[in-house]
Amino acid sequence: MGTALTRSAQWTAAGHGARALETTPLNEAILKEIIVFVESFICKHPQEANYVFVEPLEWKTSLDPSAFGPGYVVSETTVESEEADSNAQPLLFLSVPQIKIRSFGQLSRVLRIATDAKLQEAQACIEDYEFSNGCRAPPWRQIQGEICYVLVKPHDAETLCITCSKEGVFLNGGKTDDEGEINYERKGEIYKDLVTLLREKSAIVSENMSQQEVRSNEEQQKEKDQPNEAPEEEAAALRKASAASRGSALEKKQISLGRSQMTKRLEPSLNWKTILFDAKKNKSSLRDTQEEKHGGRLEKSRPSTSSGKAQLIRKSVEKIEEIISESSSESEEDEEPPDHLQETNADLPSEYWQIQKLVKYLKGGNQTATVIALCCMQDFNLAQETCQLAIRDVGGLEVLINLLETDEVKCKIGSLKILKEISHNPQIRRNIVDLGGLPVMVNILDSPHKSLKCLAAETIANVAKFRRAWRAVRRHGGITKLVALLDCSQHATEPAERSLYEADDGEVARCGALALWSCSKSYANKEAIRRAGGIPLLARLLKTSHENMLIPVVGTLQECASEENYRAAIKAERIIETLVKKLNSENKQLQKHCAMAIYQCAEDEETRELVRLHGGLRALASLLSNTDNKERLAAVTGATWKCSTSKENVTKFREYKAIEALVELLTDQPEEVLVNVVGALGECCRESEGRVTVRKRGGVQPLVDLLVGTNRALLVNVTKAIGACALEPESMAIIDHLDGVRLLWSLLKNPHPDVKASAAWALCPCIQNAKDAGEMVRSFVGGLELVVNLLKSDNKEVLASVCAAITNIAKDQENLAVITDHGVVPLLSKLANTNDDTLRRHLAEAISRCCMWGRNRVAFGEHKAVAPLVRYLKSNDTNVHRATAQALYQLSEDADNCITMHENGAVKLLLRMVGSPDQELQEAAAGCISNIRRLALATEKARYH
């Protein structure tokens, strides 16, 4: 079960308040399974139920001490079980609100005592609890990728307290002296594995590991030098097995080889004559290992480049060999003609081996050879995965990153050009991060050479596609440097060789914006961009006419606009006006990002007004008819939806025929488009003209058809839209004819609270406008009981919507009788202590309506609903005042309720409301005071006589 909760259960993200289980069907199912198991444990395993836990289960409970009966010693704020352990310690101890339980038996009893709150108690218990899922880290640290914690005591250093995580290993703050707890805060850099960290921190460990590697290499070499003495049949079998698996084995061996060869980073140097490979002296060199692997000779594989290009590459390789032979006497022994090698894997194209040979020259050539090798590598199709893996498998990534730390600009440029291309591969970019490439690239952003800045920023843009990369860029100061590139003309110095190394200022800014766009998917990076002054610079760049500049700039703003701080800054910089203008661009990608930025910003009413004032609504309406690009259509419909939440904008959309265009999009569209289209129609249908347009254009039927879907967001929006349409009798007749009300009713069983709530809200106008609402509602088998049971929900939006539905259902006396029999009065009474004004209003309306049957007025008083209702009169919401006064007026028909109202100060509060401009509130308040006064007079009269 611990594994299920950790791997399957859905938890809220770390860093945003207390970590908790989300309200999802999966979580609810898991919790219910746990409850069933625990409740039945005491019956199925009575002996085991008495075992005492080593450590108690502890959580904050909502149970009141008064809920505990026989078997417990109860006071006002504490509860102790009479059942105790051998040390006379109670197995249950409650000190409000903290509860401690030390056996399954007591746990079973508590869940039974909790009755309707079982789910809540089980959830609270699980959210403090530590699970065993193979990780030694507590759950709140597992979310951050931590696995376990290790104490290491080297001979020559202090004891090291180490955190092992998915990112790597690092030193933490160690154990605290007083409680033995771990200080989880990271101290120092992250290492790729434990061995690397220990080598760094202990000279003895480093020396021992090096000796062990030498011995291991010697043993492997001895094994290779020994003749093969296996029987002929066994050798044949091995050859057969090797042929069957050579593709995967070759790749795995090369990856392993690359890692072992490059364990130690190459030191940056321009003294290329000293960085040479000697195949005969170094038996573990890459080329020798490849020759052993391929049997000494490479067969020609199928060509995948043009003959002219292949010839050019061969000539370049020959030129490199010539340069190396001139610069080093050892290289004559090192080099062998290509036909001495043999390729046993025909699946790999010739480029794979040619690139690997070029990588070898990068490692072992002089400066000129290195530059030529870099140029030759760029002649290959580096977008092809085979070429990318060829570089990685032979340790080329390490070499390319190492070249970035040299002083030679040509080598840096060549290396970055290659890294920029191959970093489109997801695995390659992770390897680059693992090898520490991002900090090196961030440092290059300070270079005086603009071309280097551009290449570094573009490569960062490709690599920074996942969380670790975003964090690495930020932690090494990359965000500030990238923001500075947006204004690089003010900071750049003039280098000596402008023609070779310079780029246009606009190109530098474009590349900086590209990198920021990638990094801005992280909340922390968004904040870093804002603090670094990125918004004014992005606003300035928006004024350019170059679309290749505008796309990354708008893309960055689109990502950042999800945060409220950004939206305020975007308004202040008058960016909305520019975004609206760019909607009229011919570039579809630019239109998409502008629409997405407007969608994000239009959460704010002032922004929606700005979009209208600058002509953005007309542009959005015209783009609704362009359905060929679905990504752009999703962005445009999203912006239309958000803008339509303002009444004035709906009027404009109606003028621009946007409602008709939206209805046309209700069929044959992806779900992400449908969510936005239906959301916009729901807003437009709040006005009668919009409802009429949707009905006349045939939009009601496709809306009802969408009720059978499973997309959560779509169901929420479509129920709202249908509820709005149902306010018009003609549309309601269509909904009823299409069985739409039954479909809405069935959504009350949906596991998602927001879908339930939206469906319940939609049912209210349906019941109001149906021809025979009472009979229609009763026709749903078990429907009334379902609605009443929803009052047991702990979601306030669901409760408010269900109360509103009950108010409408209870207008029919027969239905009111049925829901009364199903226990609506005690459930409504139980909710009376709420302090949410929306729920208060609809709850008071439901109570008022339910008072009109039988002895419900008396029952509400018996269930102690009256005194909490009086407190509603202290709210600042007039709607709450009106509904409460009406409910109190109905309840005041019972004498005992009048007494309760008087004792709780209702008269004084109601007297203020008699003078309200709201006529319904006036009448209800006066009527309630009249009933209380009548009771008082009758009491005085009885005393007098």
Side-chain angles (χ1 to χ4, degrees):
M1 188 56 70
T3 302
L5 281 164
T6 304
R7 294 184 180 174
S8 303
Q10 295 156 334
W11 299 83
T12 58
H16 299 280
R19 179 176 174 273
L21 285 167
E22 291 183 340
T23 305
T24 65
L26 175 61
N27 286 350
E28 187 173 343
I30 293 174
L31 287 171
K32 285 180 178 177
E33 184 180 348
I34 292 172
I35 290 169
V36 170
F37 172 81
V38 174
E39 280 191 308
S40 62
F41 194 88
I42 195 171
C43 300
K44 293 181 178 179
H45 311 284
Q47 184 177 354
E48 288 83 354
N50 294 325
Y51 288 156
V52 179
F53 301 155
V54 176
E55 294 289 338
L57 291 174
E58 184 176 357
W59 70 92
K60 287 185 179 179
T61 181
S62 60
L63 294 177
D64 191 87
S66 61
F68 292 80
Y72 298 93
V73 180
V74 182
S75 70
E76 187 175 347
T77 59
T78 64
V79 177
E80 289 186 16
S81 64
E82 294 177 353
E83 188 179 8
D85 62 12
S86 57
N87 297 320
Q89 295 294 318
L91 297 186
L92 178 145
F93 180 76
L94 167 63
S95 177
V96 177
Q98 210 71 15
I99 189 170
K100 295 183 179 181
I101 293 178
R102 301 181 61 201
S103 75
F104 263 110
Q106 288 295 331
L107 195 58
S108 297
R109 294 186 184 100
V110 165
L111 286 181
R112 291 179 181 178
I113 291 169
T115 58
D116 295 340
K118 289 176 185 176
L119 210 64
Q120 181 182 346
E121 294 298 314
Q123 180 171 340
C125 174
I126 284 163
E127 287 169 356
D128 294 341
Y129 189 66
E130 296 183 22
F131 307 108
S132 175
N133 66 336
C135 290
R136 298 290 179 171
W140 60 91
R141 303 302 302 180
Q142 291 178 28
I143 288 181
Q144 300 182 28
E146 295 180 8
I147 300 169
C148 66
Y149 310 96
V150 181
L151 286 176
V152 179
K153 179 62 177 75
H155 287 291
D156 57 343
E158 298 274 336
T159 299
L160 306 174
C161 192
I162 300 169
T163 297
C164 299
S165 72
K166 293 178 181 177
E167 294 182 10
V169 299
F170 55 84
L171 293 178
N172 56 48
K175 282 197 168 187
T176 57
D177 295 333
D178 48 356
E179 298 178 358
E181 294 292 329
I182 294 176
N183 177 359
Y184 298 106
E185 184 179 356
R186 179 166 68 86
K187 305 292 184 183
E189 61 181 301
I190 299 176
Y191 298 86
K192 65 178 181 179
D193 53 38
L194 188 59
V195 171
T196 307
L197 184 150
L198 292 176
R199 277 184 152 178
E200 181 72 21
K201 300 298 179 183
S202 169
I204 293 179
V205 170
S206 179
E207 182 181 351
N208 290 340
M209 291 300 297
S210 299
Q211 292 175 356
Q212 185 177 352
E213 287 174 359
V214 170
R215 287 195 298 269
S216 176
N217 288 337
E218 290 175 352
E219 290 171 2
Q220 289 176 8
Q221 188 59 43
K222 288 178 182 178
E223 291 176 4
K224 292 171 185 175
D225 292 340
Q226 288 176 355
N228 187 2
E229 298 177 357
E232 188 171 347
E233 296 105 355
E234 184 179 351
L238 285 171
R239 282 194 298 273
K240 186 176 181 181
S242 175
S245 62
R246 59 192 172 197
S248 60
L250 177 64
E251 184 177 353
K252 289 178 182 177
K253 191 170 182 181
Q254 287 174 333
I255 292 171
S256 175
L257 174 64
R259 289 175 180 167
S260 64
Q261 290 296 322
M262 299 307 298
T263 299
K264 182 179 179 182
R265 286 281 305 278
L266 293 176
E267 294 299 324
S269 171
L270 287 180
N271 184 11
W272 301 102
K273 295 182 181 182
T274 64
I275 310 178
L276 300 171
F277 262 52
D278 186 341
K280 293 187 177 180
K281 293 184 178 179
N282 184 358
K283 296 295 183 180
S284 63
S285 71
L286 180 60
R287 186 181 67 84
D288 287 336
T289 310
Q290 283 185 321
E291 287 178 352
E292 290 169 8
K293 188 187 310 180
H294 305 309
R297 184 180 180 87
L298 280 171
E299 294 178 346
K300 292 183 179 179
S301 64
R302 64 181 183 277
S304 57
T305 57
S306 64
S307 58
K309 194 169 185 178
Q311 186 177 3
L312 175 64
I313 292 171
R314 281 196 300 272
K315 288 183 177 179
S316 299
V317 171
E318 290 170 3
K319 177 65 176 174
I320 297 170
E321 292 174 353
E322 181 180 334
I323 293 171
I324 292 178
S325 63
E326 291 173 357
S327 62
S328 172
S329 59
E330 292 180 316
S331 57
E332 292 182 7
E333 298 179 357
D334 183 66
E335 298 306 321
E336 292 182 6
D339 61 354
H340 282 235
L341 301 174
Q342 180 183 7
E343 179 185 359
T344 58
N345 191 338
D347 292 336
L348 292 172
S350 61
E351 291 94 334
Y352 185 90
W353 309 115
Q354 290 169 346
I355 286 178
Q356 292 206 338
K357 190 169 186 179
L358 287 171
V359 172
K360 178 195 66 178
Y361 294 137
L362 289 181
K363 295 177 180 180
N366 60 21
Q367 179 178 336
T368 307
T370 299
V371 173
I372 294 174
L374 289 169
C375 294
C376 290
M377 288 177 73
Q378 292 173 49
D379 288 333
F380 288 90
N381 180 10
L382 295 178
Q384 194 176 53
E385 188 176 27
T386 303
C387 296
Q388 296 166 352
L389 296 179
I391 295 172
R392 184 196 68 176
D393 294 349
V394 79
L397 290 178
E398 294 91 331
V399 180
L400 291 170
I401 292 171
N402 193 55
L403 289 173
L404 298 181
E405 297 182 280
T406 66
D407 296 328
E408 178 53 50
V409 178
K410 292 179 183 177
C411 292
K412 288 182 178 181
I413 290 175
S415 179
L416 281 171
K417 284 183 176 180
I418 295 167
L419 288 169
K420 183 187 77 170
E421 294 301 321
I422 66 176
S423 58
H424 288 287
N425 183 309
Q427 187 55 53
I428 294 290
R429 52 179 172 248
R430 280 175 168 75
N431 295 146
I432 290 172
V433 173
D434 292 339
L435 294 166
L438 279 176
V440 182
M441 294 175 199
V442 167
N443 288 338
I444 292 176
L445 297 176
D446 291 325
S447 170
H449 303 294
K450 294 179 183 177
S451 58
L452 272 178
K453 290 180 179 181
C454 288
L455 288 168
E458 279 194 280
T459 310
I460 290 171
N462 292 343
V463 174
K465 301 289 188 183
F466 56 102
R467 191 177 303 278
R468 269 194 306 129
W470 299 330
R471 188 162 54 240
V473 174
R474 183 178 71 254
R475 287 181 175 176
H476 290 88
I479 299 297
T480 304
K481 294 178 181 180
L482 289 169
V483 169
L485 295 188
L486 303 181
D487 191 26
C488 77
S489 60
Q490 295 184 10
H491 304 288
T493 57
E494 195 71 21
E497 299 182 61
R498 181 180 179 86
S499 59
L500 286 177
Y501 306 132
E502 284 316 283
D504 182 73
D505 286 346
E507 180 64 8
V508 174
R510 184 190 74 86
C511 295
L514 273 174
L516 288 173
W517 188 7
S518 292
C519 294
S520 63
K521 292 177 175 60
S522 155
Y523 170 77
N525 285 356
K526 291 175 188 178
E527 279 300 296
I529 294 170
R530 186 179 64 83
R531 289 195 299 269
I535 301 176
L537 293 172
L538 290 167
R540 186 192 305 169
L541 293 174
L542 271 179
K543 297 175 183 177
T544 181
S545 59
H546 300 297
E547 290 177 347
N548 63 342
M549 166 75 80
L550 286 170
I551 289 172
V553 169
V554 176
T556 305
L557 288 169
Q558 164 204 322
E559 291 292 341
C560 294
S562 61
E563 303 302 325
E564 188 174 353
N565 288 340
Y566 264 92
R567 293 197 290 270
I570 285 171
K571 280 189 299 181
E573 294 291 336
R574 303 183 66 179
I575 290 174
I576 299 298
E577 179 180 356
T578 309
L579 292 173
V580 168
K581 288 180 181 177
K582 302 301 181 184
L583 281 175
N584 297 312
S585 166
E586 295 297 321
N587 188 301
K588 294 180 181 180
Q589 192 178 4
L590 181 57
Q591 288 176 333
K592 177 186 76 171
H593 292 303
C594 286
M596 276 300 297
I598 292 171
Y599 166 78
Q600 297 281 16
C601 294
E603 294 285 346
D604 176 74
E605 185 176 356
E606 188 179 344
T607 297
R608 296 195 291 270
E609 184 179 359
L610 288 171
V611 174
R612 182 180 73 254
L613 293 176
H614 294 298
L617 301 183
R618 183 188 293 274
L620 289 172
S622 67
L623 288 171
L624 289 173
S625 59
N626 299 327
T627 61
D628 54 328
N629 186 312
K630 299 303 180 185
E631 288 186 352
R632 181 184 61 180
L633 185 60
V636 170
T637 52
T640 303
W641 171 22
K642 294 302 179 184
C643 288
S644 64
T645 55
S646 292
K647 185 177 180 181
E648 296 84 355
N649 289 357
V650 171
T651 303
K652 284 293 184 182
F653 277 135
R654 195 165 61 245
E655 179 185 331
Y656 301 141
K657 306 296 182 184
I659 299 177
E660 291 86 341
L662 288 167
V663 171
E664 294 297 318
L665 295 173
L666 282 174
T667 54
D668 302 323
Q669 296 298 334
E671 284 188 339
E672 60 179 340
V673 172
L674 287 173
V675 169
N676 297 335
V677 168
V678 174
L681 286 174
E683 297 296 336
C684 293
C685 286
R686 290 188 298 168
E687 296 184 350
S688 59
E689 296 91 337
R691 294 192 284 271
V692 171
T693 302
V694 170
R695 173 173 54 80
K696 288 184 175 180
R697 300 291 294 191
V700 177
Q701 178 162 352
L703 284 173
V704 173
D705 291 343
L706 291 173
L707 287 173
V708 298
T710 57
N711 183 293
R712 177 178 174 180
L714 181 56
L715 286 174
V716 169
N717 282 0
V718 78
T719 48
K720 287 180 180 177
I722 290 175
C725 289
L727 292 170
E728 186 201 34
E730 291 87 347
S731 295
M732 180 58 222
I734 299 172
I735 294 169
D736 195 10
H737 175 72
L738 295 171
D739 211 14
V741 181
R742 183 187 62 80
L743 292 171
L744 283 172
W745 207 278
S746 68
L747 288 176
L748 296 177
K749 302 175 184 176
N750 192 282
H752 299 293
D754 48 355
V755 177
K756 287 180 185 175
S758 185
W761 287 122
L763 282 169
C764 296
C766 290
I767 297 169
Q768 287 174 359
N769 294 312
K771 285 186 178 179
D772 189 348
E775 184 178 347
M776 177 186 69
V777 170
R778 287 192 298 278
S779 69
F780 303 130
V781 179
L784 291 173
E785 183 179 3
L786 170 64
V787 172
V788 173
N789 284 335
L790 283 174
L791 291 173
K792 299 175 183 177
S793 171
D794 56 0
N795 183 287
K796 290 183 179 179
E797 183 68 16
V798 172
L799 292 171
S801 62
V802 171
C803 287
I806 286 173
T807 302
N808 288 279
I809 290 168
K811 290 178 181 178
D812 180 274
Q813 288 291 297
E814 192 172 341
N815 288 341
L816 179 51
V818 174
I819 63 174
T820 299
D821 291 340
H822 284 308
V824 73
V825 171
L827 289 172
L828 289 173
S829 300
K830 191 174 181 180
L831 298 175
N833 284 307
T834 184
N835 51 17
D836 179 86
D837 274 349
T838 302
L839 177 53
R840 280 177 164 183
R841 172 193 171 185
H842 294 288
L843 176 59
E845 289 174 348
I847 289 174
S848 177
R849 181 65 63 179
C850 289
C851 282
M852 298 177 184
W853 177 258
R855 63 183 302 276
N856 280 356
R857 291 185 179 91
V858 177
F860 278 118
E862 292 171 349
H863 286 89
K864 305 188 184 307
V866 178
L869 277 175
V870 173
R871 293 194 289 272
Y872 292 10
L873 296 174
K874 298 178 182 178
S875 167
N876 295 321
D877 190 333
T878 304
N879 292 322
V880 175
H881 295 163
R882 184 193 315 111
T884 303
Q886 290 170 338
L888 291 174
Y889 172 61
Q890 292 294 332
L891 290 166
S892 66
E893 296 291 333
D894 175 70
D896 290 335
N897 290 344
C898 286
I899 295 170
T900 304
M901 292 177 202
H902 190 275
E903 289 174 347
N904 285 274
V907 175
K908 185 178 179 180
L909 294 167
L910 288 167
L911 280 171
R912 297 174 187 167
M913 296 175 187
V914 171
S916 168
D918 187 310
Q919 188 172 350
E920 291 183 8
L921 175 54
Q922 277 185 24
E923 292 175 357
C928 185
I929 293 171
S930 175
N931 286 341
I932 295 172
R933 180 61 180 158
R934 189 180 298 114
L935 174 64
L937 290 173
T939 303
E940 288 295 322
K941 187 176 181 180
R943 284 181 185 172
Y944 179 77
H945 287 291

